[in-house]
Amino acid sequence: MINLVLSTGETRLPYPEAFMDAGIVILVVFAVLCIICILLSISGAIFSSATKSTAAKAPSTPAATAPAAAAAPEEEFSSGSLKLKGCDEKTAAMIMAIVSDNTGIPLSELIFKSITLVEEK
């Protein structure tokens, strides 16, 4: 191993050795980044499956049972269609908001099939 001595008395690695050392450092950093990426992917899959299993095993309340049964998986999400029978859109929107507020379920998670006006006799 040959070290170059500068006029100030400092030593410096020859260029081939300096480039080899720099290459090794770059490879180590790249390897560590790859390991971190793999660990994040694995932990994401674990947390994702744990979240799905706890959501399936969560105790259901009477208010949450009906919408949870009607909800489709996220991949197949569709707001569907709403049939209004004897009711205008403003009244239907108010009914949906009241149902959401009383049940505590977000409106985006509720699915309404139809709203029918029932006349008093």
Side-chain angles (χ1 to χ4, degrees):
M1 180 165 134
I2 301 172
N3 286 333
L4 299 176
V5 179
L6 302 176
S7 61
T8 59
E10 298 177 16
T11 59
R12 181 174 61 168
L13 286 176
Y15 287 116
E17 287 184 40
F19 285 129
M20 189 173 65
D21 289 347
I24 291 172
V25 169
I26 290 172
L27 286 176
V28 169
V29 169
F30 185 72
V32 170
L33 288 175
C34 288
I35 291 170
I36 290 172
C37 181
I38 291 169
L39 290 176
L40 285 175
S41 298
I42 292 171
S43 65
I46 291 171
F47 288 130
S48 175
S49 65
T51 304
K52 288 180 183 176
S53 66
T54 56
K57 295 179 183 178
S60 60
T61 60
T65 303
E74 290 182 23
E75 295 82 24
E76 300 174 11
F77 179 77
S78 171
S79 59
S81 61
L82 174 64
K83 295 180 183 177
L84 300 178
K85 298 176 185 173
C87 174
D88 62 307
E89 290 180 2
K90 185 177 178 181
T91 306
M94 189 175 297
I95 291 170
M96 290 189 284
I98 291 170
V99 169
S100 174
D101 186 52
N102 286 341
T103 60
I105 301 170
L107 190 57
S108 62
E109 294 180 11
L110 292 174
I111 299 175
F112 293 91
K113 302 278 183 181
S114 68
I115 298 177
T116 306
L117 177 64
V118 178
E119 296 184 22
E120 294 182 28
K121 293 182 181 180

